[in-house]
Amino acid sequence: MKNQTRQQIPRFQAVIFDLDGVLAETETVSFQILKKYIEPHSVDWDDYEKLIGKGSKSFAEWLKTHFDFEGTVDEIQNNANTFRVEQIEQMHVPGMPGAAELLQSLKERHVKLAVASQSDIRWVRSVLQTSDLLQYFDSIVTSDEVDKPKPAPDIYLKAAKILETPISACLAFEDSLIGIDSAINAGIFTIQLRQSAPPPPFAETANLVVDSFPEFMRLAKLKASN
């Protein structure tokens, strides 16, 4: 591991999580849904990987540019989001290994918890519900609620404000480089989780890089009650 993976974790009162690829292993699921949505067109993983972390509006713009989808970008965005939610509601998406244990441990310590996601609110709630993680969170903030999506800091700044917690007392968990830039731009101590398969590119700018939630729990000396 690189030296930055051992940076000391500061004292914190709140933790803000990205969703896709962090709390739940949704990237491969999203890829399969995308392939189904754009039929008879096709897409490979390399192209999809460029979209990770960018949000549904950027995705709609990509569809318009690459496949000349009919309608405005807003119409394409809404149609694609609806399709994704309808698909995910028929699936069971497990939480990322160690996610429930970490969230339980944090709740026992009265740490405030929020989700800050680029995805549509319907997708976020559906994924959290099917992965049995929704119960842990005090707030959910999506890019539709802020002026600028990630990598702008807006979504993290709003989440911290809702949690009534200073930025200096927050931690953020992200996987994509875009998401990490967003949290870093907000001034939050940012942890890259590289637990998804395949793992995201290593983030040189993250304050801490871990390969799993259990690794973070060991570093932070957290343990959930049985």
Side-chain angles (χ1 to χ4, degrees):
M1 292 186 179
K2 299 189 179 184
N3 289 337
Q4 73 179 79
T5 63
R6 298 183 176 87
Q7 187 167 337
Q8 185 174 359
I9 300 167
R11 294 177 64 87
F12 56 91
Q13 301 170 16
V15 183
I16 306 170
F17 295 81
D18 179 43
L19 174 71
D20 299 298
V22 174
L23 289 170
E25 184 64 276
T26 57
E27 295 302 356
T28 54
V29 173
S30 294
F31 181 50
Q32 295 304 317
I33 293 174
L34 168 60
K35 290 199 294 184
K36 186 174 182 179
Y37 182 67
I38 67 173
E39 289 177 348
H41 304 292
S42 61
V43 62
D44 59 27
W45 177 263
D46 288 342
D47 283 332
Y48 172 75
E49 196 169 28
K50 298 172 185 175
L51 297 170
I52 293 176
K54 288 190 175 181
S56 59
K57 192 172 189 69
S58 294
F59 172 64
E61 292 170 346
W62 180 81
L63 290 175
K64 183 79 172 175
T65 300
H66 284 73
F67 303 115
D68 197 25
F69 268 54
E70 294 183 0
T72 65
V73 169
D74 287 344
E75 290 170 340
I76 296 170
Q77 179 183 13
N78 185 63
N79 291 338
N81 282 340
T82 298
F83 182 85
R84 275 164 46 87
V85 171
E86 290 173 348
Q87 294 295 308
I88 202 69
E89 287 177 342
Q90 302 173 38
M91 304 176 183
H92 173 68
V93 180
M96 194 68 76
E101 291 80 2
L102 172 59
L103 293 170
Q104 179 65 33
S105 176
L106 294 173
K107 290 299 282 188
E108 290 170 359
R109 289 162 173 76
H110 306 289
V111 175
K112 300 174 184 178
L113 302 174
V115 174
S117 174
Q118 298 273 61
S119 295
D120 181 87
I121 184 62
R122 296 169 295 174
W123 171 273
V124 176
R125 287 193 174 276
S126 293
V127 171
L128 291 175
Q129 187 73 54
T130 189
S131 60
D132 298 321
L133 299 178
L134 183 60
Q135 60 183 310
Y136 294 106
F137 291 97
D138 303 298
S139 180
I140 297 171
V141 183
T142 67
S143 56
D144 291 336
E145 302 174 56
V146 295
D147 292 334
K148 296 179 181 179
K150 301 174 185 179
D154 301 35
I155 195 166
Y156 277 102
L157 294 174
K158 179 163 186 173
K161 183 177 181 179
I162 290 173
L163 294 178
E164 299 181 336
T165 305
I167 289 295
S168 59
C170 293
L171 301 183
F173 274 98
E174 276 283 359
D175 61 330
S176 71
L177 301 184
I178 288 173
I180 287 161
D181 284 346
S182 175
I184 290 289
N185 289 338
I188 296 177
F189 186 95
T190 304
I191 303 159
Q192 184 189 33
L193 181 73
R194 303 185 74 242
Q195 195 166 353
S196 61
F202 190 96
E204 297 287 348
T205 57
N207 299 110
L208 181 70
V209 179
V210 296
D211 293 326
S212 69
F213 281 132
E215 179 187 352
F216 171 77
M217 293 182 73
R218 289 193 298 271
L219 291 173
K221 298 180 181 178
L222 297 174
K223 185 177 181 180
S225 299
N226 294 324

